[in-house]
Amino acid sequence: MATEVYIAGVGMTKFGKSTASLPELMVEAASRAIGDARIHTIDYVCIGVMNAEEFTGDSNIAALIADRLGLSGVPSSRVETASSTGSAVFESAFYAVASGYHKNVLIIAGEKMTHLPTARTTKILAEVIEQTERNHGASMPALAAMIAQKYQHEAKLSAEKMQGVLAKVAIKNHYNGSLNPYAQFRKLVSEEDYFGSKWVSFPLRTYDCAPITDGAVAVVLTAEKKLIRVSGLGHATDTLAVRHRDSFTSFRSTRLAALQAYHMARVNPKDISLAEVHDAFTPFEIIGIEDLGFFPPKQGWKAVEEGITSIKGRLPINPSGGLKARGHPVGASGLAQIAEVVWQLRNELDSLRQVKGARIGLTQNIGGLANNNLVTILERTDFYRPVPVYWQPPFNAGNSETREVSDQPPSSNSGILETFTTLYTTPEGVPSPLTLGFVRTDDHKMILARGRQEKLEIGQRVELEKESNLYYFRTDSPPGAAQKRTGNWLSRVWTPSDPKEEKS
Amino acid sequence: MATEVYIAGVGMTKFGKSTASLPELMVEAASRAIGDARIHTIDYVCIGVMNAEEFTGDSNIAALIADRLGLSGVPSSRVETASSTGSAVFESAFYAVASGYHKNVLIIAGEKMTHLPTARTTKILAEVIEQTERNHGASMPALAAMIAQKYQHEAKLSAEKMQGVLAKVAIKNHYNGSLNPYAQFRKLVSEEDYFGSKWVSFPLRTYDCAPITDGAVAVVLTAEKKLIRVSGLGHATDTLAVRHRDSFTSFRSTRLAALQAYHMARVNPKDISLAEVHDAFTPFEIIGIEDLGFFPPKQGWKAVEEGITSIKGRLPINPSGGLKARGHPVGASGLAQIAEVVWQLRNELDSLRQVKGARIGLTQNIGGLANNNLVTILERTDFYRPVPVYWQPPFNAGNSETREVSDQPPSSNSGILETFTTLYTTPEGVPSPLTLGFVRTDDHKMILARGRQEKLEIGQRVELEKESNLYYFRTDSPPGAAQKRTGNWLSRVWTPSDPKEEKS
């Protein structure tokens, strides 16, 4: 039997823009967690940071942080899984305690991002995207926007309804953030603010996207019995390329990770008192609460509308403010979710912010574009809970088998537009705005292609063309277009202000 | 009780310059290890890579590799501890199995380095060095050279003797490498080759330094009983700055890690049949075999001279060729050491290369400039070994307590030259050659300073001067020198071809 693992202490820095260096932020969070834990013997240090190499030039960070903490001598390792690093380092530390080889493990996760120009930060973040999709100009917001667009279509919502739902997620999380002293944003956001904010990638606005943030979080795990126990862990990957997946609007990595975590904890979604869900983009919160089994597929938006997920609702989601309002220092967010759940379960927050009677809490953390996700379940150890010997999976996680995906070029040049977006802040070297769409060709290949800015609809027929390794799609082929294609048609894609284009 | 952990399979790519990408190398190594293991169900993937971000621009690599292996769905995490990454990822995977939560874990460690210009690679590698020391122009070879110089002094060896010993390490490891089909270098190196090779940083020559290498290694761990068991693990950090340490010529991180590993395995240094020791620089092999307790302090060089460490000697060290000849893809080397020990213990190598009757093998892997080291002990499970209940530490690992180190400026401007080197290939922006020395000031501060190229001796008195955040030392202060100091003296440091300088 594995050793049970408890949480002895948590601590975090205020999230936001900071003048402190990454090691300084990490040391501050660690000092708070060690103080909170009242444990001063650390056997092992686990560091989580997504990309210190490129963000800050800090290499060899595991040894560096141990040294800064005055813990040189103590073993220290760094763990990374893109934006789910905070949960992955928690998982590694969990195994170290559960194995019986370490008693007290200090976990520190952090990221320092605000000091770089936004374009540079966005570029570093985009390196998690699969190469072909990145080459077409897909950024994280562009992919998230196409997923939102597809969700709207599948949930049969009008564009206005969808916007209203996304606004509600943003407004709720900003309200929660306004109550959280650690949050980057503590201002309330109104519908007016939301609808007045700029398009990032249609249909996502500024208020649909988590900000760029500095911050660090620390947790002390221990084999000694404490109030909060780690009762469930789940971790699953998915294909790097979004086009290789079965679905745009549900993340297999979340579903698999959730099933593992529920199984290990022997609980079901209905037993969860509150959850921190990875809302890097507002639609991901809605997809998350469906994938976690809290609400049926394509019904999560209703829960948001009905206030079920608000802090005083039946199932509070992101009582901390989430990535949206607390901020998103990429490698730290997963551990910040865990810290929030610990505080909530300990019942030690201000009454406005406290979820009443919380006993079991869950976090869901997305790595990359949902291809390395983790789910963590924590619970209070001071209440009786019957643990079923035969636990029934609460939902079907879908195909968990290996799938063969092929990047062979399609043999057909036409197909169906599966989803699309127009990205306004494009990667370096890509003209703005950029229209992107996933096209399912008639021979069942999924292709990401650039399009032109025009009225598009999911499900409409398009034609594909390939030029210098990039695919382009267009919705119509008027007679004689064949002659105009080369050069002319392609170049027109990039000149949305072309007067002929505007007239059409 | 923790679950016992066994090695089911190992595999590696040929080390050297490769046209394959990092993911391709990793997939090749993984396929071989899975084939060797005859286990096709993988529960968890652990990826080790030191700096894919800067070497190859691969981010989100844990999910990427799982995807490439057709294992999308399976959890995957990446672990990093600079150049000991290969052993650290092995340690993390070990805990995952030992905890009972995973049965079969696939570990893959790799690095792709040769495609970049050497200056860029050296710069990325130097990021592991503490900031102040790096600012003075210290590279990894420069620090290793100062350690070698100090060793020579403490072991009371003549310069010729020291060179002869280092040559013997290089020649031995190249001989071993010539027998290893996976090694980067398979040519024998003669004394003539060695002494004909260029100075990198005095007293280290090209043949004292491990090369730049591409390669990947994979290991499958399992909870099912197999021939080879993981019986000991140790891991310890040290201060990032070399000047903050008690000793230049012994690595506390190795000593602490070795004691932990011996304790866990309940063995002593005399029980080890063979060892793979981190010979990124030849003097590190000599220091390593002393720190591991194989030979008394400052006596390791004798063992090399007497042939004890050669492949047919009493205690073969680096039968694979070591980092020196097998090559050093930084994040992979630790796992390559483990693969070699597995092959040796299985007794399945060609007779020239096979260590006869090997039962217990050890690896020692250095992270950074010896500030994140790991020791791993593997053994055959098919022989009887009495396991002592009361295990006695075979040596004193030294002070494992936290030490307070201060970077307050010294109040004295003079002191003793502790060790020095002249570096010939200097970091970008630093004129070449560059003389560096560690100076212990009269108020007991240790300072890294630049000097001028001249006849220097350990223990001689020097004076320190600080200019724009850099320290400079000089050995004499002739009358009237005070006036010449500013500008003139400092600038002369950088003009070794200055005729006045050469005459003196």
Side-chain angles (χ1 to χ4, degrees), chain A residues 402-447:
Chain A
T402 314
R403 277 172 293 163
E404 219 175 299
V405 285
S406 148
D407 265 331
Q408 292 300 312
S411 58
S412 163
N413 282 332
S414 56
I416 298 286
L417 185 63
E418 286 278 340
T419 183
F420 61 93
T421 187
T422 296
L423 177 64
Y424 294 90
T425 313
T426 52
E428 214 182 277
V430 177
S432 168
L434 167 67
T435 295
L436 287 169
F438 280 105
V439 177
R440 187 180 297 274
T441 61
D442 294 337
D443 61 332
H444 305 291
K445 300 270 193 306
M446 187 77 82
I447 304 287

Side-chain angles (χ1 to χ4, degrees), chain A residues 10-217:
Chain A
V10 296
M12 64 184 277
T13 65
K14 179 159 168 43
F15 277 14
K17 259 186 207 283
S18 169
T19 54
S21 68
L22 177 63
E24 284 164 356
L25 291 169
M26 286 188 161
V27 166
E28 184 187 334
S31 310
R32 292 183 182 193
I34 292 173
D36 183 41
R38 295 160 182 259
I39 281 178
H40 297 272
T41 312
I42 299 294
D43 308 328
Y44 188 35
V45 178
C46 291
I47 302 293
V49 56
M50 173 171 157
N51 197 338
E53 289 78 4
E54 291 183 283
F55 280 131
T56 65
D58 284 308
S59 191
N60 200 8
I61 192 145
L64 171 74
I65 299 300
D67 189 7
R68 289 288 180 92
L69 284 167
L71 289 174
S72 77
V74 175
S76 182
S77 289
R78 177 255 193 130
V79 174
E80 176 267 323
T81 57
S83 46
S84 60
T85 292
S87 299
V89 65
F90 183 88
E91 182 196 32
S92 283
F94 173 90
Y95 293 139
V97 178
S99 71
Y101 285 103
H102 291 291
K103 195 179 165 199
N104 302 318
V105 177
L106 172 63
I107 311 166
I108 317 170
E111 207 83 50
K112 170 83 186 164
M113 308 166 72
T114 64
H115 59 295
L116 294 181
T118 305
R120 173 84 186 125
T121 304
T122 311
K123 186 168 179 293
I124 294 173
L125 292 175
E127 285 168 11
V128 305
I129 298 170
E130 188 267 346
Q131 193 67 54
T132 307
E133 295 181 358
R134 205 193 315 167
N135 289 349
H136 278 83
S139 63
M140 295 293 276
L143 292 169
M146 285 191 277
I147 287 167
Q149 191 91 312
K150 186 76 175 178
Y151 182 94
Q152 178 195 319
H153 180 80
E154 292 187 356
K156 301 196 172 62
L157 302 178
S158 67
E160 293 65 38
K161 187 78 174 174
M162 183 72 183
Q163 280 284 304
V165 171
L166 297 182
K168 281 212 161 61
V169 173
I171 291 164
K172 165 181 79 70
N173 290 356
H174 275 282
Y175 169 77
N176 295 352
S178 77
L179 305 172
N180 182 353
Y182 292 104
Q184 178 166 11
F185 300 123
R186 305 205 54 195
K187 257 188 10 193
L188 292 176
V189 167
S190 65
E191 275 210 10
E192 211 167 44
D193 295 331
Y194 178 88
F195 286 104
S197 78
K198 271 196 274 188
W199 293 118
V200 172
S201 194
F202 181 82
L204 302 185
R205 298 171 185 270
T206 309
Y207 278 114
D208 291 306
C209 307
I212 292 168
T213 311
D214 305 327
V217 189

Side-chain angles (χ1 to χ4, degrees), chain B residues 246-381:
Chain B
D246 288 337
S247 167
F248 286 111
T249 57
S250 166
F251 300 142
R252 189 173 66 127
S253 44
T254 302
R255 296 196 311 275
L256 286 170
L259 272 194
Q260 292 167 29
Y262 289 138
H263 179 243
M264 179 173 154
R266 302 263 157 162
V267 296
N268 284 306
K270 66 170 176 42
D271 302 317
I272 302 299
S273 314
L274 76 142
E276 287 277 308
V277 172
H278 192 102
D279 59 331
F281 302 99
T282 50
F284 286 11
E285 178 173 314
I286 297 171
I287 290 173
I289 59 180
E290 295 174 2
D291 286 337
L292 290 163
F294 297 144
F295 304 101
K298 311 300 163 297
Q299 303 291 314
W301 63 273
K302 276 191 200 161
V304 175
E305 270 217 321
E306 293 166 9
I308 294 172
T309 59
S310 68
I311 202 158
K312 297 298 171 196
R314 180 169 58 74
L315 178 60
I317 300 292
N318 289 322
S320 67
L323 278 50
K324 184 70 209 76
R326 181 185 49 215
H328 186 25
V330 282
S333 281
L335 206 59
Q337 296 178 316
I338 288 169
E340 174 69 14
V341 170
V342 169
W343 285 320
Q344 291 286 357
L345 293 181
R346 282 184 185 169
N347 197 20
E348 63 185 22
L349 297 171
D350 291 344
S351 67
L352 270 177
R353 188 159 127 59
Q354 177 66 49
V355 174
K356 292 281 179 308
R359 287 178 161 185
I360 306 182
L362 176 148
T363 70
Q364 177 246 12
N365 193 193
I366 293 181
L369 206 291
N371 40 43
N372 207 349
N373 296 9
L374 290 101
V375 171
T376 307
I377 298 176
L378 307 177
E379 69 177 281
R380 287 181 73 106
T381 52

